[in-house]
Amino acid sequence: MFYYSTNKQSPVADFKTATLNGQAPDKGLYFPKTIPVLQKEWLNHIESASFEAIAYDVIQPYVGDAMPKTILQNITAETISFPIPMAGISNRISSLELFHGPTLAFKDIGARFMSRCLGYFAKTITKKITVLVATSGDTGGAVAHGFYNIPGIDVVILYPSKKVSSVQEKQLTTLGNNIHALEVKGSFDDCQALVKNIFSRHPEFPSLFLTSANSINIARWLPQQFYYFFAWKLWDKKKGTPVIAVPSGNFGNICAGLLAYASSLPAKQFIAACNANDSIPQFLKTGLLEPKPTIPTLSNAMDVGHPSNFIRILELFQHQLPELKNILTAYSISDAETINTIRNTYQQYGYLLDPHGAVGFNALEKYFRHHPQDNGFIVETASPLKFYDLMEPIINDVMPVPAHIQHLLSLPKQSRIIENNVEELASFLRKM
Ligand SMILES: *Cc1c(COP(=O)(O)O)cnc(C)c1O
């Protein structure tokens, strides 16, 4: 499989080169030249296939001959070595729980897959691979855990000071070793801008092989298709083809869902559930894509004013807005609606949604008001435990915090505070 850049100015790359580069040299995002189609026969037998077999079959065409079969089989099996259940909430809405991995959010899957691919490719690179990543909350922990102690790779994580939850902060600042956490006095967009700026100055760091672990990297983006095929395996087919609501920030996850759909995954509609950061819901309404400054919300991992992966969705639909709108609906949900949804689903159904899942649930309910025959599921992207300090006052109840979380919270934070200043970051990297 070859990947071209969405800016069309860079040469095509195979899976290995595209994974190592992260972003294409012309600053575009890599996009597969062809979309593999999964056979009807394969989809019809999905209920009897194992998660490992499904994951391997989905990703193999994208990896091509960049890796031997047994290596890729091991990597996919390790990537998904935790439960991924579908839980019922109401009679129309289920929850695909993607938060049973080590950092309690769906990003574990992409980060585990990418770190193992990079670890395999690192053996052929003589320079020290340095993964630079900006996080709005969950990426940092997932990437830190994915790459922890992988030989030949250092990770530098930039996160916005005071804008991540205490569990999130501890997940990315307590590992040490090859994981370096930088606490930036600024927003997530500032962190992302710092990372972009450093990439444009790559030649100034001749001893480092710099790459990114943000969701623009194909090795993080593509394995997210697994969720949607697992969901189809688990889905009660008597309920018809599902409407799928995806809490969205940088739009990597939902873009993987739409890619799966292009490969023949059955789906009735995708719902992009956004918080107050509404540039995509506005775009689908007006046709104008206007990046906006980030608005901080309760669903902080979705606080993205300028979603980088949306360009891939446009590419997938060949920039044909009417076709995109046939399958994609977007809603912007306020913090007040998020709080009400958490409280109501807890009281009514005994199901505790995290703030991101609550945005998804609310958006799906809105859609269902106009589609009374449909059923569907939300992609529950994080565990409510990750936000327990925020959740308890909302549900007016105590959430038992499991021992491993209590232990995490007791560990000392190891981070370095930096200004929102690229020179400070550059000098840190020169000393690595
Ligand atoms: C990252 C994240 C999102 C947003 O995912 P995107 O792929 O950036 O759209 C949603 N929910 C949680 C919990 C996250 O960590």
Side-chain angles (χ1 to χ4, degrees):
M1 171 73 77
F2 286 98
Y3 297 84
Y4 65 89
S5 163
T6 50
N7 283 349
K8 317 250 161 67
Q9 303 298 312
S10 296
V12 294
D14 67 0
F15 179 80
K16 175 179 171 180
T17 308
T19 296
L20 285 166
N21 284 355
Q23 193 163 34
D26 64 5
K27 311 258 176 350
L29 271 58
Y30 283 115
F31 195 86
K33 272 195 88 166
T34 50
I35 312 282
V37 176
L38 289 154
Q39 300 305 319
K40 257 213 152 68
E41 188 62 14
W42 185 89
L43 282 166
N44 288 343
H45 290 103
I46 202 161
E47 284 179 29
S48 58
S50 67
F51 280 49
E52 280 89 354
I54 295 170
Y56 177 83
D57 288 348
V58 167
I59 205 72
Q60 202 286 325
Y62 289 97
V63 176
D65 51 14
M67 232 179 246
K69 179 173 181 180
T70 49
I71 300 276
L72 184 59
Q73 279 173 330
N74 287 344
I75 290 178
T76 41
E78 278 179 37
T79 298
I80 53 167
S81 61
F82 46 82
I84 300 180
M86 175 88 79
I89 304 180
S90 67
N91 46 13
R92 297 182 70 190
I93 302 183
S94 302
S95 168
L96 180 71
E97 296 183 347
L98 298 181
F99 55 76
H100 298 285
T103 70
L104 313 178
F106 77 96
K107 289 190 174 73
D108 279 327
I109 292 166
R112 283 155 82 88
F113 186 79
M114 180 191 172
S115 61
R116 283 154 179 83
C117 289
L118 264 189
Y120 176 73
F121 295 140
K123 296 181 188 128
T124 60
I125 307 276
T126 46
K127 289 183 185 182
K128 200 168 173 118
I129 296 186
T130 303
V131 174
L132 259 185
V133 62
T135 180
S136 59
D138 284 337
T139 299
V143 167
H145 282 258
F147 281 93
Y148 182 54
N149 282 345
I150 292 212
I153 303 184
D154 266 298
V155 178
V156 178
I157 301 167
L158 285 80
Y159 71 98
S161 183
K162 306 202 171 67
K163 295 194 180 74
V164 301
S165 82
S166 45
V167 174
Q168 286 174 328
E169 184 167 43
K170 286 294 173 79
Q171 283 175 338
L172 63 96
T173 58
T174 54
L175 290 172
N177 277 2
N178 62 330
I179 311 296
H180 312 273
L182 300 178
E183 179 175 351
V184 178
K185 292 188 183 165
S187 68
F188 166 65
D189 286 327
D190 294 331
C191 296
Q192 216 172 18
L194 286 173
V195 169
K196 278 199 183 139
N197 198 323
I198 288 292
F199 279 118
S200 67
R201 294 163 51 163
H202 209 156
E204 290 175 43
F205 311 94
S207 64
L208 302 181
F209 187 104
L210 287 176
T211 190
S212 137
N214 279 106
S215 57
I216 57 166
N217 193 303
I218 57 160
R220 264 197 64 195
W221 171 51
L222 295 171
Q224 300 191 71
Q225 294 175 90
F226 300 164
Y227 319 144
Y228 299 91
F229 289 103
F230 294 167
W232 181 241
K233 170 183 162 73
L234 299 170
W235 180 250
D236 177 1
K237 316 286 185 296
K238 289 194 291 293
K239 292 185 159 186
T241 309
V243 177
I244 305 172
V246 188
S248 294
N250 221 0
F251 277 68
N253 187 355
I254 193 165
C255 182
L258 289 164
L259 185 64
Y261 173 73
S263 289
S264 74
L265 172 93
K268 190 136 195 201
Q269 185 78 190
F270 280 86
I271 311 294
C274 299
N275 57 29
N277 295 281
D278 66 348
S279 49
I280 302 309
Q282 285 302 330
F283 169 72
L284 291 180
K285 231 182 251 160
T286 64
L288 294 175
L289 191 52
E290 286 182 296
K292 298 178 178 182
T294 308
I295 303 167
T297 73
L298 294 176
S299 44
N300 68 358
M302 303 179 350
D303 293 349
V304 184
H306 181 26
S308 346
N309 273 297
F310 193 69
I311 180 75
R312 282 188 167 130
I313 295 185
L314 293 176
E315 199 67 26
L316 187 59
F317 288 85
Q318 295 165 344
H319 298 261
Q320 301 299 313
L321 201 50
E323 274 154 48
L324 175 58
K325 282 162 97 168
N326 277 338
I327 187 72
L328 182 68
T329 306
Y331 294 99
S332 165
I333 307 298
S334 69
D335 273 356
E337 290 173 299
T338 305
I339 289 174
N340 278 333
T341 303
I342 292 173
R343 197 175 282 139
N344 290 343
T345 42
Y346 185 63
Q347 282 170 359
Q348 224 177 322
Y349 308 112
Y351 191 87
L352 190 54
L353 291 160
D354 97 294
H356 306 80
V359 170
F361 191 93
N362 189 297
L364 191 50
E365 280 195 315
K366 283 205 165 80
Y367 181 82
F368 279 171
R369 263 175 234 154
H370 308 286
H371 299 84
Q373 305 302 323
D374 290 355
N375 293 301
F377 64 88
I378 60 157
V379 174
E380 177 48 303
T381 47
S383 160
L385 270 177
K386 221 167 171 175
F387 307 95
Y388 76 94
D389 31 10
L390 196 138
M391 307 285 307
E392 285 183 344
I394 296 178
I395 56 171
N396 195 17
D397 206 345
V398 185
M399 286 173 66
V401 178
H404 67 280
I405 304 284
Q406 276 169 16
H407 171 71
L408 177 72
L409 290 169
S410 73
L411 295 174
K413 157 173 151 184
Q414 308 170 47
S415 70
R416 173 193 292 250
I417 298 191
I418 69 165
E419 297 293 327
N420 175 18
N421 174 337
V422 72
E423 293 312 322
E424 226 179 296
L425 176 59
S427 101
F428 177 82
L429 292 173
R430 277 194 204 96
K431 289 190 210 118
M432 288 200 56

